[in-house]
Amino acid sequence: MLYFSVPLGKLVRRVSRLRGGGSALPGLVVEKIDPGFMQRTLSELPLGVAVVSGTNGKTTTTKMVVELLESQGLKVFTNRTGSNFTRGVAAALLGEVDWRGRLDADVAVLELDEAHAVHFVNKVPPRYSLLLNVLRDQLDRFGEIDKTADLLQHIASKTTGTVVLNREDPRVARIAQTLDGPEVLYFGLDDSLLSTFPNDDDMRAAPGSPVPAAPARADADVVLRRVGADDADFEYDGATVTTAMKLRGVYNIFNAAAALTLARAISGARGTGTDQAGLLTALSKVAPAFGRGESLVVDGLPLELVLVKNPSGFRLGLKSFPAAGYATMIAINDNYADGRDMSWLWDVEFDTLRDDGVDQLTGSRAYDMALRLQYDDVAIGAVDTEIAPALAAFIRGGQGKPKRIFCTYTAMLAIRRELSKITTVEVVS
């Protein structure tokens, strides 16, 4: 099986890419004909596997961890496409292994969807796991929020080395109480920043009503102390350091604390020490992952793509990217990868868009978005459910202004395809 599954999988991958097929198809093929492919390949890595999961921030955080570890001289395998199902990991492996199935890497850092991570860790127990947050997202898939917390707890229970937890998310922090064996590290926020990151209970509680008690806040390995316009302060090892940041958005900077915590744990496990200055230099150079605050150039002006997929993510996106001076478009799809239940739009306040309005709405649920904006008295320029003509009209109508598009996942992919026809768009393969 070993000798023909990899060549066959590589052939399927090449044909699929030539035909513009999905990135996960080769992984599905190799999973069917060689179920032990992932476990066999990844078990040989000297520093093992690190899994990054949670509701928000997986892609950008994984990208940060990879670049931080590479700054320490480590060879890192990762699923760069952001295809975070098990077959996506298998497909990414096919692109990196040689024809005998050997992977030239020290460690694997993998972004995994919460539900698919459970299947993955049952096959490949990770040495490290980083669990970011538990927020209301894709209720049609996950059910209520405590189900998502259970999924993350299972990932932690299968981790053999170190579990990194978000100190400020009570459902994530409580996972530590269920563990017996793995080392537990935390990342956290300065008290002055806590109100910027309400947990799910805080967001849904009526004014003045009590919320469930959170566990006592543990000491954190890395604490985000301050977020500036283009820099941030982090505290670790008893000192506060300042570093420049290319990443924008307070949520991305908080995730940088998570990435630093995991990277410090992995690089420290080598026994050769960690180049702390090198970590900060690498962190200062990390650019946004595709669609996560990604900035393109159209007609000589920036066009930013901001992924939104749940109430917390949309709220933080609106807070991190002020509307003033920008032409704004919102693209909402309800395909499987987006989540079919769009009722979460009613948990977001859009009053920050009221002054300048929204120039264009698009996507399969554009009219649902229009109705929601009407209730917040946000003026709407145009509505077109077809993304390609809507994007063209948005670009024409917003000449002379920088532009910003808030979009769900599949809408983002469609928009990037259209933009690639008129500007340079990073190819993610």
Side-chain angles (χ1 to χ4, degrees):
M1 188 72 71
L2 168 63
Y3 295 103
F4 76 82
S5 63
V6 172
L8 178 59
K10 282 182 170 287
L11 178 61
V12 172
R13 184 175 186 271
R14 180 173 297 179
V15 172
S16 177
R17 293 181 68 183
L18 288 173
R19 298 184 62 182
S23 62
L25 175 61
L28 176 61
V29 171
V30 79
E31 277 187 337
K32 293 293 185 184
I33 64 175
D34 186 2
F37 168 68
M38 276 196 308
Q39 182 177 14
R40 185 175 64 245
T41 305
L42 295 174
S43 65
E44 299 174 354
L45 298 179
L47 293 175
V49 175
V51 167
V52 179
S53 196
T55 309
N56 277 1
K58 296 183 289 292
T59 300
T60 298
T61 305
T62 300
K63 186 176 189 289
M64 283 190 275
V65 174
V66 169
E67 295 187 27
L68 292 175
L69 292 177
E70 288 176 342
S71 78
Q72 304 296 299
L74 293 173
K75 296 179 180 178
V76 186
F77 165 74
T78 189
N79 46 337
R80 295 184 188 277
T81 63
S83 180
N84 54 24
F85 293 0
T86 53
R87 64 191 57 167
V89 175
L93 274 172
L94 286 170
E96 298 292 332
V97 298
D98 63 21
W99 290 95
R100 292 175 292 180
R102 295 177 181 171
L103 179 64
D104 183 19
D106 299 305
V107 64
V109 179
L110 304 174
E111 169 197 350
L112 287 171
D113 167 90
E114 300 92 307
H116 283 263
V118 168
H119 300 297
F120 177 88
V121 300
N122 287 338
K123 294 180 179 179
V124 186
R127 189 174 303 180
Y128 304 91
S129 59
L130 168 56
L131 307 178
L132 294 168
N133 42 54
V134 177
L135 296 161
R136 231 160 270 270
D137 182 39
Q138 297 195 37
L139 299 183
D140 53 306
R141 287 186 60 214
F142 295 128
E144 274 303 307
I145 191 169
D146 290 323
K147 172 61 176 177
T148 306
D150 290 342
L151 297 175
L152 295 187
Q153 191 279 328
H154 183 81
I155 298 167
S157 72
K158 292 291 185 178
T159 303
T160 62
T162 300
V163 177
V164 178
L165 301 176
N166 180 351
R167 181 181 73 178
E168 316 306 349
D169 187 313
R171 286 182 174 82
V172 173
R174 286 191 194 103
I175 290 173
Q177 301 170 6
T178 70
L179 301 179
D180 181 17
E183 175 189 25
V184 177
L185 298 175
Y186 297 90
F187 63 99
L189 289 167
D190 187 87
D191 290 350
S192 65
L193 296 172
L194 286 174
S195 62
T196 305
F197 292 88
N199 60 55
D200 191 80
D201 294 323
D202 294 334
M203 285 196 300
R204 297 182 68 83
S209 64
V211 296
R217 293 169 74 201
D219 292 335
D221 185 72
V222 178
V223 177
L224 174 61
R225 291 296 183 195
R226 182 189 63 88
V227 178
D230 53 11
D231 66 356
D233 291 349
F234 298 93
E235 180 184 330
Y236 54 84
D237 294 339
T240 299
V241 297
T242 300
T243 180
M245 299 292 295
K246 280 188 176 179
L247 293 170
R248 296 185 60 199
V250 289
Y251 52 92
N252 281 332
I253 311 301
F254 186 32
N255 289 336
L260 274 171
T261 306
L262 179 57
R264 280 161 47 85
I266 295 173
S267 62
R270 295 179 300 172
T272 58
T274 300
D275 176 8
Q276 303 290 348
L279 284 179
L280 290 179
T281 299
L283 185 61
S284 71
K285 297 177 180 178
V286 177
F290 73 104
R292 278 74 170 181
E294 177 184 22
S295 185
L296 310 173
V297 177
V298 175
D299 296 333
L301 292 167
L303 184 151
E304 294 175 340
L305 297 177
V306 181
L307 177 68
V308 295
K309 62 191 188 78
N310 53 45
S312 176
F314 214 148
R315 286 184 181 203
L316 286 170
L318 291 168
K319 181 178 292 186
S320 298
F321 299 93
Y326 276 74
T328 301
M329 174 169 143
I330 300 177
I332 304 294
N333 274 353
D334 65 347
N335 297 316
Y336 176 75
D338 307 298
R340 306 306 303 270
D341 181 358
M342 287 291 128
S343 63
W344 63 265
L345 292 172
W346 293 88
D347 292 329
V348 183
E349 291 84 27
F350 294 95
D351 53 290
T352 57
L353 299 175
R354 196 172 291 152
D355 288 345
D356 293 345
V358 173
D359 300 84
Q360 182 77 52
L361 296 176
T362 189
S364 57
R365 301 296 286 269
Y367 284 99
D368 296 74
M369 188 70 248
L371 178 63
R372 176 67 192 92
L373 292 177
Q374 283 184 335
Y375 273 82
D376 273 2
D377 296 320
V378 177
I380 300 164
V383 181
D384 186 341
T385 57
E386 296 298 320
I387 288 177
L391 179 62
F394 175 62
I395 291 173
R396 285 195 309 270
Q399 288 183 355
K401 295 179 70 174
K403 301 168 184 65
R404 184 173 294 125
I405 303 176
F406 296 96
C407 44
T408 57
Y409 183 71
T410 64
M412 176 192 72
L413 297 180
I415 288 166
R416 291 180 93 255
R417 282 194 298 270
E418 292 301 314
L419 289 173
S420 69
K421 301 172 184 178
I422 59 173
T423 190
T424 302
V425 176
E426 178 189 4
V427 176
V428 181
S429 60

